[in-house]
Amino acid sequence: MSALYTKQQIVEKAKELAKMITETEEVDFFKRAERQINQHVRVQEIIGKIKALQKEAVNLQHYEKQEAYKAVEDNIEALQDELDEIPLVREFKQSQTDVNGLLQLVSSTISNTVTNEIIRSTGGDLLKGTTTKNPLHSHGCS
């Protein structure tokens, strides 16, 4: 029988994996892009305006001032479009997508591997995704 691991051992391995992920090209690019975003005066100005308008929008919506709310929302959308036109912002958003993709890949790989190991160890059928063999179909095709 193979070794049994404790939750603590698994969490320690997960922390090792997390550290490895933080040392990938994708995460390195993300960190550099975030630093540049934080230092970009125009980007920070636009973000500040958007945040202020979002607070205003919440108040207008609360007091049911629909026309003013719509105008503020349109203003937010225009500022968001302006922000999205800045190449650095596009690169930053792409780096977020890349890091999220890496995390999803790791998560699905772990999930699929655990599922497949459970199926194999219980004598199941990987193709059908079942954990036990059906006794009614043990003699080949029906």
Side-chain angles (χ1 to χ4, degrees):
M1 186 172 161
S2 60
L4 293 178
Y5 296 98
T6 66
K7 287 181 188 176
Q8 185 59 37
Q9 289 172 311
I10 293 168
V11 168
E12 288 304 315
K13 287 290 184 187
K15 287 178 181 178
E16 285 179 41
L17 182 57
K19 178 120 177 64
M20 288 174 65
I21 291 169
T22 65
E23 296 172 4
T24 61
E25 187 176 315
E26 293 87 348
V27 172
D28 185 59
F29 185 85
F30 172 82
K31 289 189 289 190
R32 283 183 287 137
E34 185 175 38
R35 254 190 315 276
Q36 289 177 320
I37 288 276
N38 290 333
Q39 295 170 353
H40 195 286
V41 175
R42 183 66 187 137
V43 168
Q44 292 307 309
E45 286 174 355
I46 296 170
I47 290 172
K49 286 180 183 177
I50 289 172
K51 286 180 179 181
L53 287 170
Q54 286 172 333
K55 287 180 184 178
E56 186 179 337
V58 168
N59 287 332
L60 291 170
Q61 192 173 32
H62 177 74
Y63 292 110
E64 298 180 7
K65 298 189 181 255
Q66 294 306 320
E67 286 183 35
Y69 171 77
K70 174 78 172 104
V72 169
E73 284 292 309
D74 290 346
N75 200 351
I76 291 171
E77 190 174 328
L79 286 168
Q80 189 64 54
D81 289 345
E82 183 180 343
L83 198 58
D84 289 342
E85 289 302 312
I86 299 171
L88 178 60
V89 172
R90 283 199 303 265
E91 290 174 8
F92 176 71
K93 285 185 174 186
Q94 183 58 53
S95 74
Q96 284 179 311
T97 301
D98 293 346
V99 170
N100 284 335
L102 176 59
L103 293 172
Q104 288 296 321
L105 176 62
V106 169
S107 177
S108 64
T109 300
I110 291 170
S111 177
N112 291 340
T113 303
V114 168
T115 299
N116 290 345
E117 286 301 316
I118 290 170
I119 291 170
R120 272 192 212 97
S121 70
T122 58
D125 186 331
L126 276 176
L127 293 177
K128 291 181 182 170
T130 55
T131 55
T132 56
K133 291 184 179 173
N134 186 332
L136 301 177
H137 297 99
S138 59
H139 302 293
C141 296
S142 301

